[in-house]
Amino acid sequence: MTQESETLREAGGEQHETTEKRGEAGERVCPECEASLVVDDSHGETVCESCGLVVEEDEIDHGPEWRAFDSNERAEKSRVGAPTTKLLHDDGLSSVIDWQDRDAKGRTLDGNKRRKLQRLRTWDERFRSKNAQERNLKQALGEIDRMASALGLPESVRETASVVYRRALEDDLLRGRSIEAMATASLYAAARQASIPRSLDEFEPVSRVERKEFSRAYRYIVRELELAIEPANPLEYLPRFASDLELDEDTVGRARSLLEEGMERGVHSGKSPVGLAAAALYAASILEGEKITQKEVCSVSDVSEVTVRNRYTELLEAGTDPDAARAL
């Protein structure tokens, strides 16, 4: 056998000896002693924590080439911007000129440079919205963010609302309709899709248009975009109302039972889900002996006392609970 073949055989034997091995749980282990492996990022090596065998070397470091010891230093050295988002009309890809009139060393600029920088900001703002469609989208997304903040809606709902509005804009559904109405309708549709209960009464004070206008826009968007939105469920409103009223879990459970029995008998058909949820909590509080008034229930649910009394009677009549019959 030639020396070259012996060398190849020895090389092949070494490669076979360092073949990757797996433990019982599927994790990588040392091919020599079957101990756990650790990754040494500073040297780019994977070594055995027991015998010190270097299993891999010259690994690629996917992190930055610089080091930072606090958050401020990390922010100064980082060259990466924020991730893209549908909450901005340009997906967050454009640049923004800082509003502080200071140079790179933190020194205040003189009057001439401040005026020049202000002109640059103006042109930068104009270039970020190149046409009427982008200006429309920018204004609408600002409205969506404002209303979502006032209603306490999460960022996922805002993202969905922005996508709904973009689809309406692309399909030319905004012709003859106000930006505020379509933005409100998009946010309401997104909240309904995410099963986060917010009633039209709650949207009315934060919207810049009347309820009739954004209700019409909502029905138009759902029909034209063929959005899959299920009817509002009164059960979805119970946790929020109960939390505002600080009710016990037993009362909430009783209210849930009353609603489920009423829905089985069709009491909810044609009725406001908000009014049903408020009435169920009021009825359950009476059955459980908690002291809350109709006025308190109406204040958190934004429905009238007449609605609570009517739905309260209907739920108790539809229920099979003997205590409910006595409460009537």
Side-chain angles (χ1 to χ4, degrees), residues 6-26:
E6 290 179 359
T7 304
L8 290 173
R9 187 185 65 179
E10 292 175 359
E14 291 178 359
Q15 185 176 6
H16 176 72
E17 291 175 0
T18 58
T19 302
E20 181 178 296
K21 290 187 178 181
R22 297 280 177 175
E24 295 180 356

Side-chain angles (χ1 to χ4, degrees), residues 163-173 182 186 189 193 218-228:
V163 172
V164 171
Y165 189 90
R166 288 171 188 268
R167 288 183 56 191
L169 187 61
E170 291 172 0
D171 293 351
D172 198 22
L173 302 182
M182 297 296 282
S186 300
Q193 284 184 322
Y218 166 72
R219 292 191 295 270
Y220 179 67
I221 283 180
V222 172
R223 183 178 67 252
E224 295 296 326
L225 298 181
E226 298 180 352
L227 300 178

Side-chain angles (χ1 to χ4, degrees), residues 148 152-159 196 198:
L153 296 173
E155 186 174 344
S156 58
V157 174
R158 307 181 194 195
E159 290 266 5
I196 297 178
R198 293 293 187 274

